[in-house]
Amino acid sequence: MALHAKELRDKTADQLREQLADLKKEAFNLRFQQATGQLENTARMRLVRRDVARVNTILNQKAAEAAGTEA
């Protein structure tokens, strides 16, 4: 199931970093499964990669907002 940006924006930066770590672990495991020929759902790799990008984007947006309010 793909993550939705709307749900991610409601999370704190710490929660997003934790989510990002989980997604990166999952991506690593999927790559490992693919290399050993055990991966059944290849589309999951694409979804995880996009979720990582989505979380990174929202983290960057939150950082930009924080920097904008401090300046």
Side-chain angles (χ1 to χ4, degrees):
M1 184 177 111
L3 300 173
H4 295 284
K6 191 175 188 180
E7 297 168 2
L8 292 174
R9 284 193 180 92
D10 294 337
K11 294 187 176 187
T12 65
D14 287 338
Q15 290 172 324
L16 288 172
R17 285 188 203 96
E18 186 176 317
Q19 179 94 42
L20 185 62
D22 292 342
L23 286 168
K24 286 187 175 189
K25 284 179 191 173
E26 183 178 356
F28 173 80
N29 289 331
L30 289 171
R31 283 194 309 271
F32 198 86
Q33 287 176 12
Q34 185 181 35
T36 58
Q38 297 174 345
L39 184 62
E40 294 179 13
N41 184 4
T42 56
R44 183 69 186 145
M45 290 182 72
R46 181 179 184 189
L47 290 175
V48 171
R49 200 167 57 241
R50 288 183 175 204
D51 286 344
V52 167
R54 197 170 286 124
V55 170
N56 275 326
T57 298
I58 293 175
L59 273 171
N60 287 334
Q61 287 174 348
K62 285 184 179 277
E65 287 175 12
T69 56
E70 292 173 4

